[in-house]
Amino acid sequence: MTSNTRVVVIGAGLAGVRLARRLGELGVPVTLIGEEEHRPYNRVLLAEVLAGRYSPDVIALPAPAELTRARVTGIDRAGRTVECADGTKIAYDTLVLATGSNPVLPPLRGLFSPDHVLPEGVHAFRTMDDCLGLSKAVRPGVKAVVIGGGLLGVSAARALALRGAQVVLAQQSERLMERQLDPSASKLVRRHLTDLGVEIHTECRVRDVRCVGGAVRSVEMSDGYALDADLVVLACGVHPRVGLAQISGLDVRKGVVVDDELRTSDPHIRAIGDCAQHDGTVYGLATPALEQADVLAESLAGRANARYTGTRSLTRLTLTGQTAFDLAAFGETEALPGDDVVQLTDATRGTYRKVVVRDDRLVGGVLVGELGTVGALARAWEGAEPLPADGAPLLHLLTNDGGS
Ligand SMILES: Cc1cc2nc3c(=O)[nH]c(=O)nc-3n(C[C@H](O)[C@H](O)[C@H](O)COP(=O)(O)OP(=O)(O)OC[C@H]3O[C@@H](n4cnc5c(N)ncnc54)[C@H](O)[C@@H]3O)c2cc1C
């Protein structure tokens, strides 16, 4: 082996752990460095821990035996070493950044303190520590305000409601999960949360978080209305964690820029997962992070044709509890003029299925409440094969699970 003798991976999240495991299987020595004190875990399932359905052990990832617990604070590109917060230096031939994302903290006066510590009762929702902190604070009857109505905010609001909290969700735009869902699917998600007792305010901007004695007391809206709050969850999105790459002088735009071999502007440094930007896209989702890890493992093991050419990503959210609620969305869920749309709604059962077709190709779809057909649809979408002209197979795709 030539340049792969010492592969060092920064970040023991979904992408870093997958890469380290694959490299282990391929016989490439690897050092995985992660700052979190918990056993590596599947972040996607944190809401299930918060809801009380899973213990933290259940969502642990099968991590490689060798994990160095440390925070990397610097990269010496000329000397090819990384430096950790405790002063340790680790040498590499190939370095991989798998540093993930940071939560976006909204610019509210009440959140700022000189030491960057959030007021008591205010939590982000990104790490196991965030989840355990929230879990400890939630009790039946606690007043919780979730700021943000995307995938994260919806999962957090639902989990807190299942734990008996009185939850208000404040969403700035006009509907929930607008990045993934069309208006009809958003309405069903809204109905589902409302049925669980969550109070939802859309087109509602939060102006401030009010604290007394360092602890949160209320959340103030832009119209001056104040909501009492014992707990506040910040679910306002994420941004790629690119600080290390930036101070090391790598090419960083939204994320760390990588080519089809996941190579950054330094040929000895690669990047994967939420922190990487490939072909203009930062995905911020689990499937692309895992696919990038798999391709990079092949590449570092010396397979010359290992290339990452992008992920057509399906977002799947399974919200289980007393009432299961599944949804999946892929591609473009809103039609452009000239597109064909096939839509099936069952208001009584709360199910909704829709696909968008452009020039005989499936370009997107959304399924709520009934996911039996998701596998067949995803395959038709990923394959990007032309669909037969008479429309019947499409309807078949929407109504038959195709054995998936
Ligand atoms: C609550 C929640 C629900 C989600 N639900 C879904 C979902 O339903 N579907 C979906 O596709 N995606 C979902 N996501 C997003 C998904 O979790 C991410 O896309 C995925 O985790 C990205 O993997 P990653 O390895 O790039 O980053 P991460 O999993 O964030 O891992 C990065 C790791 O690197 C560590 N690290 C960073 N910098 C350093 C450093 N300097 N030194 C040492 N360690 C460092 C971090 O502490 C972290 O452990 C969800 C995310 C959250 C938080």
Side-chain angles (χ1 to χ4, degrees):
M1 213 141 327
T2 51
S3 63
N4 317 330
T5 39
R6 284 173 303 175
V7 178
V8 172
V9 181
I10 308 176
L14 275 182
V17 167
R18 172 75 152 241
L19 173 65
R21 269 188 47 226
R22 284 274 192 271
L23 287 175
E25 287 160 13
L26 294 166
V28 179
V30 56
T31 303
L32 179 64
I33 310 174
E35 67 182 351
E36 294 190 67
E37 68 179 45
H38 304 276
R39 223 173 116 191
Y41 57 91
N42 185 351
R43 208 171 292 285
V44 170
L45 295 175
L46 278 180
E48 301 296 321
V49 175
L50 180 57
R53 280 196 71 234
Y54 293 161
S55 72
D57 290 351
V58 174
I59 70 163
L61 291 171
E66 214 187 304
L67 168 65
T68 303
R69 285 214 162 73
R71 187 158 63 85
V72 175
T73 50
I75 302 170
D76 173 359
R77 285 172 51 194
R80 287 203 218 143
T81 56
V82 296
E83 177 156 1
C84 302
D86 63 4
T88 317
K89 288 196 165 109
I90 300 173
Y92 67 84
D93 293 308
T94 297
L95 179 66
V96 181
L97 303 175
T99 51
S101 304
N102 278 326
V104 169
L105 301 184
L108 307 175
R109 242 179 315 133
L111 293 184
F112 288 102
S113 72
D115 50 5
H116 302 288
V117 174
L118 291 174
E120 195 186 319
V122 179
H123 302 258
F125 189 36
R126 177 78 197 170
T127 64
M128 181 63 86
D129 279 343
D130 295 335
C131 180
L132 296 179
L134 266 168
S135 201
K136 212 165 141 199
V138 66
R139 287 177 308 282
V142 146
K143 293 188 175 69
V145 177
V146 176
I147 306 177
L151 178 65
L152 271 190
V154 166
S155 319
R158 188 173 186 282
L160 293 171
L162 289 171
R163 296 280 301 274
Q166 288 176 37
V167 186
V168 178
L169 186 154
Q171 161 75 323
Q172 192 162 332
S173 66
E174 61 184 18
R175 56 192 174 82
L176 300 177
M177 290 183 68
E178 57 174 355
R179 272 184 61 196
Q180 289 93 9
L181 302 182
D182 72 333
S184 303
S186 278
K187 241 183 248 164
L188 283 177
V189 172
R190 184 175 186 140
R191 194 174 95 185
H192 174 76
L193 287 184
T194 308
D195 287 348
L196 288 173
V198 177
E199 186 181 317
I200 297 164
H201 297 256
T202 44
E203 294 181 85
C204 152
R205 212 168 58 77
V206 170
R207 185 162 76 186
D208 210 352
V209 169
R210 292 268 171 86
C211 301
V212 176
V216 68
R217 284 286 173 270
S218 63
V219 169
E220 191 186 302
M221 305 299 169
S222 54
D223 60 6
Y225 186 75
L227 294 164
D228 287 346
D230 306 308
L231 260 188
V232 172
V233 181
L234 305 173
C236 306
V238 293
H239 52 71
R241 195 161 160 181
V242 293
L244 268 179
Q246 258 160 347
I247 56 169
S248 314
L250 299 178
D251 183 8
V252 175
R253 286 170 220 169
K254 281 179 286 178
V256 185
V257 176
V258 293
D259 64 13
D260 289 358
E261 289 178 275
L262 288 322
R263 209 182 288 277
T264 68
S265 52
D266 177 332
H268 298 285
I269 305 182
R270 316 280 187 114
I272 52 172
D274 277 14
C275 69
Q277 173 176 338
H278 175 265
D279 199 15
T281 302
V282 174
Y283 289 95
L285 289 170
T287 307
L290 297 174
E291 287 186 4
Q292 290 170 2
D294 290 348
V295 171
L296 183 54
E298 298 274 308
S299 169
L300 293 177
R303 309 261 156 92
N305 56 355
R307 292 272 185 289
Y308 175 73
T309 52
T311 300
R312 286 162 70 80
S313 191
L314 180 129
T315 306
R316 185 169 179 159
L317 181 63
T318 304
L319 303 164
T320 38
Q322 290 103 335
T323 51
F325 185 73
D326 280 333
L327 58 90
F330 56 94
E332 298 175 49
T333 56
E334 294 203 55
L336 296 177
D339 289 348
D340 290 320
V341 175
V342 183
Q343 199 167 307
L344 299 173
T345 310
D346 182 337
T348 323
R349 292 172 60 219
T351 65
Y352 173 69
R353 285 172 267 181
K354 169 182 168 183
V355 288
V356 180
V357 177
R358 184 174 309 147
D359 301 331
D360 297 332
R361 274 169 219 270
L362 189 59
V363 293
V366 54
L367 303 171
V368 181
E370 169 54 68
L371 257 56
T373 55
V374 70
L377 279 173
R379 281 193 294 277
W381 178 62
E382 281 156 12
E385 297 290 325
L387 296 162
D390 65 5
L394 241 193
L395 204 56
H396 182 72
L397 274 180
L398 266 189
T399 52
N400 185 294
D401 68 9
S404 61

